[in-house]
Each structure stands twice: as C-alpha cells, then as structure tokens.
Amino acid sequence: MAFGPFLLLATLEGLLQAAVLTLTALGLSLVFGVMRVVNVAHGEFYMLGAVLAWWITTMIGLHPAAGFFLALLVSPLIVGVVAFAAERLVLRRLSYDPESTIVATIGMLYIIQQTVLLTYGPDARPVAAPFYYRLQLPWFGYSAYNLFVIVAAGVLLTAVWYVLTRTRIGLIMRATQYDRETAQSFGIPIDRVYGFVFAAGAMLAAIAAVLIVPIRQAHYLMGLDPLLLSFIVVIIGGLGSIRGTVVAALVIGLSDGIISVFFSPTLAKMISTLLVALVLVFKPEGLFGARQR
C-alpha cells in the first residue's frame, strides 16, 4: 500500500479516536470548569457505560440495531443517576474541597471498578454494532460504523456547545463557573447546578463508551486509558476550556492515529506525554485556559 492510502487510514483512525476522546475529555473538563473538582473516577463512569451497554443489549434480546440504540439512550441515563447520587452523598458533604474530593473520587473509582468486577466478571465481552457495512474508499473499504461514530460525536459536541452558549442552562452554568458567590446571591441554586453538571460529565463519558464498545469490547479495566488521555487533553487544552478540550483532543487523536500507523503506538504515547510536559513548563494554564490571578 502506498503512502496515500496509509495516510488516509491513519487519519480516519485518528479522527475516530479524537471523536471518542473529545466526548470523554469534555465531561472531565466540564466538571472541573464549573465545580473545580478533579474527577479521578471519570474513567470508571466511561467503563460503566460500556458494561451497561453490554448488559442491555444482551438481556433485552432485540435486533442489534434496536438493542444498541436502546443502550445509547438508557446506559448514559443510568450512569448519570449513579453520578448524581455520588455527588449528593459524597462530594456535597465534603463541600467540594479540592483535596478531599480527589481522595473521594479515587474511592469512587475503586468502588465502581470492584463492583463491576464482582457482578460482570473479568472477561472482555463484545457488543454487536447496529449495522455492518463497508464504505468503499478510493484505496480500501472502511467501516461505515466508524464513520457513524465520528459524525455522532460531532453532532453531540455541537449540541453541547449550543446548550452551553445559547440556553438559560448554559448561562447558569457559566455564571456558576465564573463567580459562585455572586451567582448564589442572584438566587442560582448552586448545589443543584453542581449535581446536574457532575451527572452530565459522567453521561458524556458513558455516551462515548457506548459508541466505541462495538469496536473495543467492554472490560472492567477499560476506564484507565480514557482517564489518562482525558487528563492529557484537558491539561494541554486548559482545564475548564471547552474550545481547548476540542482542539487538544483533535491534536492528540490525529497524532496518535497517524504515528501509531507509521511508527508505533508507544511513540505516540511518548509524544503525548512530552506535549503535557512542555505545556506545564511554558503555559501551565493550558493553551486556551485562563491565567489565574
């Protein structure tokens, strides 16, 4: 295969990874931007979304397409309820103290992971894709489902952007992010906003997991890599910056796809880590993050 086909394949694989990574990292960035909470359990909400998708598609016994789209609807809702309950029962009682919430979310990580291990088991299990079709490109055939994931992620990102910038809910979230005390003095229910945001961040991770699980099987340890990559993205883009998250995810996803195809996945991870180090040294607030005063 010549250079052109290899580059096209690498770009498509990079876009696929960037699409899923953007949704996952956006949830992490949203929680930190509004609540100033570093959610170490974010990867486990991702994993829980994938495992629930397997359960729903297996237990219901519908056509793969019906089962998948039912899982795409129900799994994030269940994950959102779990996240909301965790925020109410744990983070709220800690008054969202930065150090305490890091320890608390580490505890959530192990509780969710071990609960899934006990109930789901250690085996990786597949979820059937809603459709199987190969789109014929100039040099090779490519999975139409992979392209569907890229398009679906783009639609969801557009919807999130619209909610954050064009709706009353987005205005309330931005007001809470910029000045909690002033927002509270204007009657904004800060506690309810925090509960909603924490659940929404977990739901974005769960949606990303349901989209990718037909390509990568559900496993109780699958939350680690998305968590680490999400932290890389939000550090490079700037904690709390939606624009920075999208740009950094595209850069990391595309570079990882291209470098993995032409060189090795290990080199791609090394370059990502180097980028984080350079950003922390020369621009600690991230490429698009606001400098703290």
Side-chain angles (χ1 to χ4, degrees):
M1 191 182 290
F3 176 78
F6 268 119
L7 180 61
L8 178 58
L9 177 61
T11 302
L12 290 172
E13 291 298 308
L15 284 173
L16 176 65
Q17 178 164 328
V20 176
L21 180 57
T22 303
L23 288 176
T24 309
L26 185 58
L28 186 67
S29 182
L30 186 65
V31 169
F32 180 84
V34 176
M35 301 173 63
R36 300 300 170 186
V37 168
V38 178
N39 181 16
V40 184
H42 191 68
E44 302 315 302
F45 289 126
Y46 174 97
M47 177 272 291
L48 186 59
V51 170
L52 286 171
W54 177 84
W55 254 323
I56 292 168
T57 55
T58 302
M59 301 305 175
I60 299 299
L62 298 174
H63 184 275
F68 173 81
F69 287 108
L70 180 64
L72 188 59
L73 175 65
V74 175
S75 178
L77 289 176
I78 296 175
V79 171
V81 170
V82 172
F84 184 82
E87 192 276 337
R88 296 286 89 179
L89 296 174
V90 180
L91 301 186
R92 184 183 181 187
R93 295 176 184 272
L94 296 174
S95 301
Y96 310 105
D97 176 71
E99 289 80 9
S100 300
T101 52
I102 289 176
V103 177
T105 53
I106 291 174
M108 289 181 198
L109 183 156
Y110 284 110
I111 290 172
I112 296 172
Q113 184 183 97
Q114 295 306 307
T115 300
V116 170
L117 175 61
L118 289 173
T119 55
Y120 172 80
D123 299 325
R125 302 177 186 179
V127 172
F131 53 88
Y132 293 95
Y133 177 73
R134 295 191 70 81
L135 184 67
Q136 190 60 42
L137 300 177
W139 294 293
F140 52 83
Y142 191 73
S143 169
Y145 178 75
N146 289 13
L147 295 176
F148 165 77
V149 172
I150 296 171
V151 173
V155 171
L156 286 169
L157 289 172
T158 303
V160 171
W161 171 84
Y162 181 83
V163 169
L164 292 176
T165 60
R166 296 290 187 270
T167 66
R168 177 177 172 79
I169 294 175
L171 178 63
I172 290 173
M173 290 169 60
R174 295 201 308 275
T176 304
Q177 175 182 356
Y178 292 137
D179 195 326
R180 174 180 174 177
E181 288 74 19
T182 302
Q184 198 164 20
S185 68
F186 277 92
I188 294 177
I190 300 298
D191 286 346
R192 275 189 284 174
V193 172
Y194 280 4
F196 169 79
V197 168
F198 196 75
M203 290 174 69
L204 283 171
I207 291 171
V210 177
L211 288 173
I212 201 64
V213 74
I215 303 171
R216 300 168 190 168
Q217 298 180 352
H219 187 261
Y220 83 103
L221 292 176
M222 68 182 295
L224 178 59
D225 281 349
L227 176 65
L228 295 177
L229 287 173
S230 294
F231 272 121
I232 288 174
V233 166
V234 296
I235 289 172
I236 293 175
L239 283 167
S241 171
I242 304 302
R243 178 179 59 169
T245 299
V246 174
V247 172
L250 284 172
V251 170
I252 295 298
L254 284 172
S255 62
D256 188 82
I258 293 172
I259 294 172
S260 296
V261 168
F262 283 99
F263 298 99
S264 74
T266 302
L267 179 60
K269 299 298 184 294
M270 291 172 61
I271 291 177
S272 298
T273 306
L274 178 61
L275 286 175
V276 171
L278 291 174
V279 169
L280 289 175
V281 170
F282 295 105
K283 207 172 189 297
E285 70 275 13
L287 299 179
F288 296 91
R291 185 179 294 276
Q292 298 295 322
R293 296 182 179 179

